[in-house]
Amino acid sequence: MLTGDPLEQLMSRLGTDLDAVNRLIRERMASEHAPRIPEVTAHLIEAGGKRIRPLLTVAAARICGYEGPHHLGLAATVEFIHTATLLHDDVVDESSQRRGRPTANLLWDNQSSVLVGDYLFARAFQLMVEPGNLKVLSILSNAAAVIAEGEVLQLAKARSLDMDEATYMQVIRGKTAALFAAACEAGAEIAGADAMHAAALRDYGNALGISFQIADDLLDYGGKSAQLGKNTGDDFREGKVTLPVLYALEAAAEEERAFWTRVIETGDQRDGDLEQALALMQRHGALESTRARALDISAEAKARLEDLPRGELTSLLSDLADFVVSRVV
């Protein structure tokens, strides 16, 4: 395993490409007739995000030997799709903080967040057709549909204790892993990679995204607000049934299940309920089981890289799989 932060190393190694992606993002988020669009977009895009998804696209293309320009537009595409979903999510979740800053819907309004998100989706589709590659278009447009499907499924299952682990995994594949996978596969495809290498990168991205989201869900019950860029306990307050809750529910006694029914299904939350939820998770090993699941899937991501050409970028992607779960180790 390489030393240091692999994300920072990727950003350094691919700095020229990333600078070009950032210039393209700023250029394409402009609007001649609606100045609120770049205002809202810049608030989120320039809020210190790590650009992990566009980095995956660029890294995948370079690993597969690409020397052309189209990976830059595809990298900007995945960042626009990601940003659009964040704008919409914050409206749905009624969030007030994102990446340590007030959300766009709080600073402006819900209508602006939704409509600017729609604009970014439209820009993303403009960018993804520019290479003239139907396979790439299929990969990214399918991912956009899966993301929306995952978000709707999560909404339908909010405050519902009939969620099971299979449904939870389906939700996070949609809301997070689908774009990680598409970011990697699109980079491979634009490079003309063979089917084995493209599939390996797609599967790596999928597993990376799943482990990333499980770790994020775990940190909601044990991370610091500054580290997360959101308020600790947000998922609990919003009634989201994530993996730590599912594992606690599996072992819950009757009176414990009554507690979960009150705080999740009915939304009747009182002072001390978050602490009680944490105590129940600790009692039944739910947090440790969630941590183990994230680590297992991270290992699956690394295993898929064994099918790729060895090199610095492949090694950094392997380290990245460790890094995204290192927050919970």
Side-chain angles (χ1 to χ4, degrees):
M1 181 175 175
L2 300 178
T3 57
D5 181 337
L7 198 53
E8 294 293 339
Q9 291 183 55
L10 277 169
M11 293 171 72
S12 175
R13 173 68 173 76
L14 299 170
T16 300
D17 280 344
L18 190 59
D19 287 345
V21 171
N22 286 331
R23 287 194 298 271
L24 185 57
I25 286 172
R26 286 190 289 271
E27 174 190 322
R28 295 302 182 95
M29 72 184 191
S31 170
E32 179 182 355
H33 304 294
R36 179 164 295 187
I37 289 173
E39 290 174 5
V40 173
T41 305
H43 173 74
L44 188 53
I45 283 183
E46 299 178 5
K50 291 292 190 178
R51 300 282 198 271
I52 185 170
R53 294 156 188 83
L55 273 171
L56 290 174
T57 299
V58 171
R62 292 304 193 192
I63 285 171
C64 296
Y66 188 59
E67 297 294 340
H70 291 306
H71 64 313
L72 304 176
L74 298 180
T77 295
V78 298
E79 185 67 7
F80 277 163
I81 293 173
H82 175 56
T83 304
T85 62
L86 296 185
L87 287 167
H88 289 169
D89 287 352
D90 286 341
V91 172
V92 172
D93 295 339
E94 299 179 349
S95 299
S96 61
Q97 188 178 9
R98 168 75 67 179
R99 294 173 180 166
R101 306 173 72 190
T103 54
N105 52 299
L106 187 67
L107 291 178
W108 286 274
D109 48 53
N110 286 343
Q111 296 93 325
S112 293
S113 289
V114 170
L115 293 174
V116 172
D118 291 345
Y119 178 84
L120 292 182
F121 269 124
R123 280 299 201 200
F125 277 90
Q126 288 178 328
L127 279 163
M128 74 176 73
V129 303
E130 288 180 4
N133 186 311
L134 283 177
K135 178 64 174 177
V136 166
L137 179 59
S138 175
I139 291 166
L140 292 170
S141 60
N142 285 341
V146 172
I147 291 165
E149 186 178 43
E151 294 289 355
V152 173
L153 178 59
Q154 178 175 261
L155 181 63
K157 290 295 183 179
R159 301 200 177 280
S160 174
L161 297 186
D162 69 356
M163 171 87 88
D164 56 21
E165 186 171 346
T167 305
Y168 166 80
M169 295 297 286
Q170 186 176 352
V171 166
I172 66 173
R173 282 191 185 98
K175 66 179 286 185
T176 302
L179 193 54
F180 276 66
C184 291
E185 189 179 9
E189 187 62 37
I190 201 64
D194 62 37
M196 183 183 74
H197 289 161
L201 282 161
R202 179 196 65 224
D203 294 346
Y204 163 81
N206 181 65
L208 182 73
I210 292 172
S211 59
F212 178 94
Q213 188 60 55
I214 292 175
D216 201 56
D217 291 346
L218 176 58
L219 283 170
D220 195 68
Y221 288 97
K224 296 179 180 178
S225 182
Q227 179 183 11
L228 292 171
K230 64 179 183 180
N231 299 313
T232 303
D234 274 351
D235 290 347
F236 177 78
R237 284 182 284 271
E238 292 166 10
K240 293 180 180 176
V241 182
T242 56
L243 204 55
V245 175
L246 284 174
Y247 285 151
L249 275 168
E250 285 180 1
E254 185 176 347
E255 67 275 9
E256 293 171 352
R257 191 168 185 88
F259 166 81
W260 290 113
T261 298
R262 174 174 64 79
V263 298
I264 297 294
E265 288 199 333
T266 69
D268 178 13
Q269 296 186 6
R270 308 163 189 169
D271 289 344
D273 279 345
L274 177 57
E275 291 73 17
Q276 175 67 9
L278 285 166
L280 293 176
M281 290 174 181
Q282 293 283 3
R283 178 184 302 172
H284 297 299
L287 300 179
E288 186 55 43
S289 293
T290 302
R291 182 177 295 109
R293 191 80 170 101
L295 290 170
D296 285 346
I297 297 175
S298 170
E300 292 176 13
K302 295 176 66 175
R304 293 302 285 124
L305 294 175
E306 294 175 4
D307 292 333
L308 296 174
R310 295 183 182 275
E312 181 187 6
L313 288 176
T314 306
S315 295
L316 285 171
L317 290 188
S318 181
D319 287 351
L320 183 61
D322 288 323
F323 179 74
V324 299
V325 294
S326 65
R327 304 169 292 166
V328 300
V329 174

